[in-house]
Every structure is written in structure tokens, then in C-alpha cells.
Amino acid sequence: MSWPPKSPSGLIGAEIAGYRVERELGRGGMAVVYQAKDLRLGRTVALKLLAPQYTRNDAFRRRFTQESRVAAAIDHPNIVPVFEAGEFDGLLYIAMCYVSGQDLRALIDQEGRLPVAVALRMAAQLASALDAAHARELVHRDVKPGNVLVAKVVDSDHPEHVYLTDFGLAKKSLSLTGFTTAGEFVGTLDYVAPERIAGRPVDGRADLYSLACVVHEMLTGAPPFRREDQLELLWAHQYDPPPALSEERPDIPAAADAVLRRALAKAPDDRYDSCLEFVAALRDAVAEPVPRRRTPTAVDRVPPPEPPSWARPFLI
Ligand SMILES: Nc1ncnc2c1ncn2[C@@H]1O[C@H](COP(=O)(O)OP(=O)(O)O)[C@@H](O)[C@H]1O
Ligand SMILES: [Mg+2]
């Protein structure tokens, strides 16, 4: 086969740097991710290849090579481990741990809004991964459901495990960003923080904003700002107040509205200091009010009424 191949689907069955390509797992803005077999170790991996049309573009090449370095630098249970990265016959690749499951985009498309407890557990794992990146002064800059992998349930003690992936846009905190850099905003604008739109320096709080958009979507089925037109969407991120979560999802206490509002504040200084702080505040806000203990009275000691006869066979 000649390299780079004209069509990524033409790669099925091909051998690249010791990996046999088996099937396509997904694709984002600039890469295609395949399930592949590591022929040396016999294990299944996810092999990410820079799309052929980008291999000759220096900016994309740099971005792709950097991705593997960034992800490999953070050893965290909610960040996909990178095995190796390199170039093979002019084709850039990253071999990483294969996550059996689906991405959060597919899960939300399939299920709609998620149960509150599930959304909170996933949010806490993503928050932990992001805080670990931020502790190294790295900003992910592309937090969105398509970049969250949801692993298949292993056992009931660990009902879900999510991974943050795709560090292709990650940068050091406070670097200036705008719309001009090659490869930026190839996808959706649904999760982008106002300071990025304005071209101001970004830090971890931009990821916190995006995480809050993802949390809003997990809980309601849609991101906070939905507009027909891209420019209107950019305007909304910068100037419009976010909708109240409890209006879109009445089973969530109104106390959660203030938490989302703070995480989605237009100015980074008005947001939480860390992603885990945001998720902890959200968890407190949605928690059932704890019934206050009081001394039992005579009324409490009255035996409960007999269950109706139809219910008796079910009572053990
Ligand atoms: N390690 C992995 N295991 C399984 N599927 C993956 C893995 N990494 C990525 N994918 C799938 O491939 C898609 C694109 O991967 P991503 O890294 O986001 O590429 P891009 O940089 O092109 O956006 C993801 O949305 C996901 O569905
Ligand atoms: Mg992606």
C-alpha cells in the first residue's frame, strides 16, 4: 500500500509500526482512531492516526505529536494511558489503551439525559482528571462529550469509569489563544469558554467552564446554550445568562442552579477554583435534604398500617 493512504478506510488489515489495523472506532477533527492489534504483545490497542490530509501540515503535525507527550505526562486513572507514539512511513500515530465502550457523545445521543447519580459520578472523575492536568499547568481546551470515553461496566461496585481523551489542543496555562491557530474549532462551539472566544489567556478555569457545559448536557440532554447560528452561539457564551438547570430538569433542586451559574460565569475569577470544587458543590446542592433526628413520640410508636392484601405476597 502507498503512504499516506488516500482513504482511511483503506487501512483495515494494514500493518502500521507493528500494529494490525482491525476496525475504525471513531474520528474527530483531525484524526481517525482504530482498534488495532499490537503484534508484539498480542494485545488490543487504540491506534490514533493523523488524517492523511493533515500529515503535511506542520501545525497539525506539531499538535498531534504534542498530544501523546501531554497525555503520557499525566498518570491518572481517568486519562487514557499512552503506550507509544511515532511516525511510520510518513504517517503519525499514537498507540494507547483501548477503552471498550462508547464515547459520551454517543451515550447522550442514545440515552438522552442521564440519571443524576451517574452524571455526578462521571463529572467527579472528569474533574479529577482535569485538576490533575491543571496541577501541571496544562489546559485541555477541548472538553466535550466526544472526548470522554465511557468504559463498559466492569462490576456493580464500579458502575462506570470515564476517561478524558484527546489532548490534541492542550496547552500550557495562560498561553494566548484565538481562532487563528490551525486546527482550532474544527468541531463544535457548544462548550467553549468566553475567554477563549475573546482571545484572552486561558487557564484551567476555561476547562471548568467546558466541564460545566458537559454536566449541563448530561443532566438535561443538551448543552446550556443552543443557537441556530454559530455567531449567536459565540455571543451567548460571552453575554447571555445560562438557563436554570432546575427549569429544564425539575427533579433537580433549585440550589443546583447557582452552582452551574457560578461554574459558567463569564469571568474566570467568578468561577470555582477547581473542577472538583465545582462537582462537590453540585453534589451538595442535589443531595436529598437529610431528615433531622428527633426524639420518637407516641405517634412514631403506633404500628404501621397493614399492607393491602395484594401487596402481601411480595413482602418478605
Ligand atoms: N482509547 C480509545 N479507545 C476507544 N475508542 C477511542 C479511544 N480514543 C478515541 N476513541 C474514539 O475515537 C474518537 C475520536 O478520538 P479523538 O482522540 O477525540 O480524536 P480527534 O482528535 O480526531 O477528535 C473518540 O470520540 C472515540 O469515540
Ligand atoms: Mg476528539
Side-chain angles (χ1 to χ4, degrees):
M1 185 184 292
S2 67
W3 299 98
K6 282 181 191 63
S7 138
S9 58
L11 287 179
I12 307 295
E15 217 180 291
I16 297 166
Y19 300 94
R20 188 174 330 101
V21 177
E22 288 174 344
R23 71 183 174 104
E24 184 177 323
L25 292 170
R27 54 176 75 202
M30 62 165 196
V32 186
V33 180
Y34 296 94
Q35 182 181 314
K37 178 75 102 220
D38 179 339
L39 296 171
R40 288 149 293 200
L41 297 171
R43 69 176 164 185
T44 298
V45 302
L47 190 68
K48 183 168 180 170
L49 302 178
L50 184 62
Q53 64 268 36
Y54 297 131
T55 45
R56 277 176 299 269
N57 178 318
D58 268 353
F60 280 104
R61 287 177 70 92
R62 238 179 291 121
R63 193 181 128 182
F64 191 82
T65 326
Q66 171 185 278
E67 170 178 356
S68 53
R69 291 174 175 274
V70 170
I74 317 168
D75 185 13
H76 188 279
N78 301 107
I79 292 177
V80 182
V82 170
F83 298 145
E84 68 148 340
E87 188 166 355
F88 179 83
D89 265 346
L91 199 67
L92 289 171
Y93 68 90
I94 301 173
M96 58 188 150
C97 175
Y98 166 64
V99 177
S100 172
Q102 59 187 151
D103 62 51
L104 185 59
R105 173 76 279 132
L107 184 69
I108 295 174
D109 288 347
Q110 188 184 303
E111 307 272 320
R113 57 196 216 178
L114 305 177
V116 175
V118 172
L120 279 174
R121 284 196 297 263
M122 289 186 176
Q125 294 177 35
L126 294 175
S128 174
L130 284 169
D131 283 351
H134 300 158
R136 286 160 186 79
E137 305 216 311
L138 285 165
V139 191
H140 185 283
R141 305 198 313 146
D142 200 16
V143 177
K144 61 182 183 185
N147 288 338
V148 173
L149 305 177
V150 185
K152 266 202 201 106
V153 177
V154 189
D155 61 64
S156 53
D157 279 347
H158 303 94
E160 57 278 311
H161 191 98
V162 296
Y163 295 89
L164 180 64
T165 185
D166 197 354
F167 281 79
L169 284 182
K171 280 223 169 112
K172 279 277 176 198
S173 281
L174 300 178
S175 42
L176 274 171
T177 57
F179 281 172
T180 48
T181 317
E184 299 225 340
F185 297 106
V186 274
T188 169
L189 294 170
D190 284 336
Y191 314 90
V192 64
E195 61 270 30
R196 287 196 63 204
I197 299 168
R200 284 195 285 270
V202 299
D203 60 21
R205 294 169 300 179
D207 286 341
L208 166 60
Y209 181 96
S210 306
L211 175 66
C213 293
V214 173
V215 168
H216 185 102
E217 181 162 0
M218 288 199 280
L219 291 170
T220 67
F225 299 110
R226 277 151 283 159
R227 301 289 185 275
E228 289 290 299
D229 175 86
Q230 298 284 60
L231 276 178
E232 280 179 38
L233 181 58
L234 294 177
W235 178 273
H237 279 299
Q238 285 192 288
Y239 305 109
D240 292 352
L245 188 64
S246 62
E247 253 165 53
E248 295 187 48
R249 181 140 184 192
D251 61 321
I252 292 181
D257 296 345
V259 177
L260 258 291
R261 217 179 307 123
R262 183 166 164 199
L264 292 171
K266 308 299 180 196
D269 281 348
D270 295 338
R271 295 178 202 143
Y272 291 95
D273 286 329
S274 75
C275 294
L276 278 171
E277 198 190 316
F278 155 55
V279 176
L282 187 61
R283 193 184 289 129
D284 287 348
V286 302
E288 298 276 343
V290 182
R292 269 193 288 149
R293 281 166 182 253
R294 58 184 173 78
T295 324
T297 63
V299 176
D300 293 315
R301 284 193 285 272
V302 171
E306 279 283 295
S309 56
W310 57 263
R312 271 181 222 132
F314 302 108
L315 296 174
I316 300 164

